[in-house]
Amino acid sequence: MAAAKVGVGEDEYTLLCSEFKSAQDDFIAQIEKVKSKIEQVNCKDGGFYAENLTPNVEKLLTTIDTIKGAIEQVQSSENETIDSFQRAIDNVDTCC
């Protein structure tokens, strides 16, 4: 319903929402891939393990987790804003 009220067809609105969610999920997945690759080389057997390097790599991994958490919070807020906007449009229509 809200899609038509903002001048977009329902199918197009559904597709846009789906693509937005997919882009969010892909972004988080890419962060996880990078983190995983860093973890793979940060090991004793076959990696780039070194006494002085490991603490810095651990700090990097912790920072990546912090960034990922912040991104997930922003994405959650974006989704809540979209849902709230849609409800507001529905409520305006109901009130009128």
Side-chain angles (χ1 to χ4, degrees):
M1 275 195 264
K5 295 172 189 170
V6 294
V8 178
E10 192 68 35
D11 290 342
E12 185 178 4
Y13 181 80
T14 301
L15 178 63
L16 288 171
C17 288
S18 174
E19 288 177 347
F20 182 65
K21 175 71 173 131
S22 177
Q24 290 176 329
D25 292 344
D26 185 53
F27 189 67
I28 295 298
Q30 292 301 323
I31 290 173
E32 282 297 320
K33 275 177 140 176
V34 168
K35 185 179 170 207
S36 176
K37 288 180 181 181
I38 292 169
E39 288 172 333
Q40 288 173 4
V41 297
N42 188 38
C43 59
K44 288 185 179 183
D45 300 322
F48 296 129
Y49 182 85
E51 290 290 328
N52 296 328
L53 178 63
T54 297
N56 291 327
V57 172
E58 292 300 324
K59 287 178 189 176
L60 175 62
L61 293 172
T62 300
T63 302
I64 289 172
D65 279 337
T66 301
I67 292 169
K68 180 181 155 211
I71 290 169
E72 288 172 331
Q73 286 178 344
V74 168
Q75 290 175 339
S76 178
S77 294
E78 289 171 345
N79 291 331
E80 287 176 26
T81 300
I82 291 168
D83 290 342
S84 176
F85 179 68
Q86 184 176 1
R87 283 191 305 276
I89 291 171
D90 285 338
N91 289 340
V92 166
D93 188 48
T94 304
C95 293
C96 298

